[in-house]
């Protein structure tokens, strides 16, 4: 965190608001615990998508941000790949598909990927490829941009060309819902290949059908899966995630750092530590020799 821009917020939460802090803090702690020295597994992507849905689609993060009074001071931001400016530089009918990406890894990765095809009757106007590119500078990658969480969720995660309705831009929020609601994060829906020609199908159906094609693979991950990995990376790299985790750990340390060799049970009587919880300690050892003591 940039300490020069750090703002201290004092707050006190009780009841369900305190529980929300613990849930959000635990969720962020899980996302930050995922390693960056390798690509996540399919299961980690699915679990990550379910966590992201709870945080940003079901708005648990925004509710907590408001409850602690942070919304009165600043909006949370992330540093993420933006491909909208790059796509604007391309003639729309040249773009076959594009992906935002941005996750760091020692393995294969990308920070914006655009694949295009120039119609023959248009590239024949130029004497050479260099002349064509000089007249039509077309970036093939995105750029890192700091944006508010709201703008980031609305920003383009994928853009895919269709013959029927032209280019379809798919937001990061939609990618989260696709993996969480369709690909096993929370639900698994194997139904595929909804025709984009039917006006009866919703925008979500069209986006899901296009994402089902994958179109890009980064290591063992499909294009949509790598987008989830990139969303997780943006959250884990934010200034606010570790601060919320720290606040949650401070408010409920037993939910984060409980002694694994302790068994606590509620008696309602005044115990030695001044609470109504009695404690038994287990001595690490072989299964047959673990002993509990008051």
């Amino acid at each position: 965190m940039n300490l020069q821009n750090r703002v201290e917020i004092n707050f006190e939460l009780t009841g369900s608001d305190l529980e929300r802090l613990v849930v959000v803090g635990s969720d962020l702690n899980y996302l930050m615990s995922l390693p960056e020295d390798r690509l996540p597994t399919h299961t980690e992507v699915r679990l990550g998508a379910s966590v992201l849905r709870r945080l940003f689609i079901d708005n648990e993060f925004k509710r907590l941000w408001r409850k602690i009074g942070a919304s009165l001071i600043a909006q949370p931001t992330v540093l993420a790949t933006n491909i909208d400016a790059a796509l604007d530089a391309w003639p729309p009918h040249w773009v076959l598909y594009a992906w935002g990406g941005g996750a760091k890894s020692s393995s294969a990765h990308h920070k914006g990927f655009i694949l295009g095809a120039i119609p023959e009757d248009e590239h024949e106007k130029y004497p050479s490829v260099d002349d064509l590119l000089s007249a039509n500078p077309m970036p093939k990658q995105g750029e890192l941009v700091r944006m508010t969480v709201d703008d980031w969720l609305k920003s383009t995660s994928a853009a895919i060309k269709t013959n029927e309705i032209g280019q379809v831009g798919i937001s990061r929020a939609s990618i989260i819902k696709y993996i969480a609601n369709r690909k096993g994060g929370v639900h698994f829906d194997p139904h595929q290949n909804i025709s984009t020609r039917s006006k009866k199908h919703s925008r979500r159906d069209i986006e899901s059908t296009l994402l089902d094609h994958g179109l890009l693979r980064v290591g063992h991950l499909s294009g949509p899966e790598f987008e989830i990995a990139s969303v997780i990376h943006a959250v884990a790299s934010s200034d606010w995630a570790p601060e919320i985790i720290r606040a949650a750990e401070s408010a409920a340390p037993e939910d984060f750092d409980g002694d694994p060799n302790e068994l606590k049970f509620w008696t309602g009587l005044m115990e030695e530590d001044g609470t109504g919880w009695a404690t038994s300690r287990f001595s690490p050892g072989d299964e047959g020799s673990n002993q509990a003591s008051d």
Side-chain angles (χ1 to χ4, degrees):
M1 170 175 284
N2 185 342
L3 296 180
Q4 291 182 336
N5 297 326
R6 181 169 179 165
V7 176
E8 185 172 321
I9 300 173
N10 296 312
F11 61 90
E12 183 175 341
L13 301 177
T14 59
S16 61
D17 292 331
L18 176 58
E19 186 176 359
R20 177 174 285 114
L21 171 63
V22 173
V23 169
V24 172
S26 298
D27 280 350
L28 293 173
N29 193 44
Y30 170 74
L31 297 180
M32 292 193 69
S33 72
L34 295 175
E36 291 193 346
D37 60 348
R38 62 166 173 81
L39 292 171
T41 66
H42 296 295
T43 298
E44 287 170 338
V45 167
R46 290 192 294 267
L47 292 175
S50 68
V51 168
L52 291 168
R53 191 188 84 160
R54 182 165 55 251
L55 288 173
F56 301 113
I57 306 303
D58 298 340
N59 286 324
E60 291 304 325
F61 172 76
K62 182 176 287 187
R63 290 188 182 97
L64 176 65
W65 194 259
R66 184 171 60 248
K67 285 292 183 180
I68 64 177
S71 59
L72 300 175
I73 299 173
Q75 293 302 312
T77 64
V78 294
L79 189 63
T81 305
N82 187 307
I83 58 172
D84 289 321
L87 286 172
D88 288 343
W90 282 69
H93 62 289
W94 288 10
V95 177
L96 296 180
Y97 56 81
W99 299 88
K104 288 185 177 179
S105 171
S106 59
S107 309
H109 61 278
H110 72 84
K111 295 181 179 179
F113 181 96
I114 301 175
L115 180 68
I118 303 173
E120 183 177 2
D121 61 341
E122 295 191 46
H123 73 67
E124 283 184 341
K125 300 175 183 177
Y126 300 92
S128 68
V129 173
D130 289 340
D131 291 324
L132 183 150
L133 295 177
S134 177
N136 300 276
M138 296 170 291
K140 298 181 286 297
Q141 293 186 345
E143 57 179 348
L144 283 177
V145 175
R146 183 163 293 281
M147 50 188 124
T148 66
V149 167
D150 286 344
D151 288 342
W152 168 63
L153 292 170
K154 295 174 186 175
S155 64
T156 303
S157 191
I160 302 173
K161 178 182 179 180
T162 69
N163 293 328
E164 292 84 0
I165 57 177
Q167 187 181 102
V168 176
I170 304 174
S171 70
R172 287 182 163 99
S174 292
I175 295 280
I176 293 171
K177 288 184 280 189
Y178 169 77
I179 297 295
N181 298 348
R182 187 178 176 92
K183 289 301 178 181
V186 178
H187 309 289
F188 177 62
D189 178 9
H191 186 62
Q192 297 181 355
N193 296 326
I194 300 172
S195 172
T196 56
R197 295 181 180 181
S198 174
K199 294 182 179 180
K200 295 181 180 179
H201 296 301
S202 67
R203 170 73 181 218
R204 183 179 61 184
D205 292 332
I206 293 172
E207 291 176 350
S208 295
T209 299
L210 294 173
L211 292 173
D212 280 341
H213 294 298
L215 297 176
L216 184 74
R217 293 203 71 85
V218 183
H220 58 276
L221 300 180
S222 67
E225 288 176 321
F226 188 71
E227 291 303 300
I228 293 296
S230 300
V231 170
I232 291 171
H233 170 75
V235 172
S237 302
S238 69
D239 288 344
W240 41 265
E243 292 301 305
I244 290 177
I245 295 169
R246 181 189 60 77
E249 290 176 339
S250 177
E254 67 278 3
D255 286 325
F256 292 85
D257 298 310
D259 188 337
N261 293 317
E262 284 186 349
L263 186 155
K264 289 181 174 289
F265 51 98
W266 177 258
T267 66
L269 303 175
M270 183 66 70
E271 302 293 339
E272 291 183 2
D273 63 357
T275 72
W277 290 92
T279 302
S280 289
R281 287 197 55 81
F282 282 72
S283 301
D286 295 335
E287 182 177 352
S289 63
N290 263 0
Q291 298 294 324
S293 60
D294 293 338

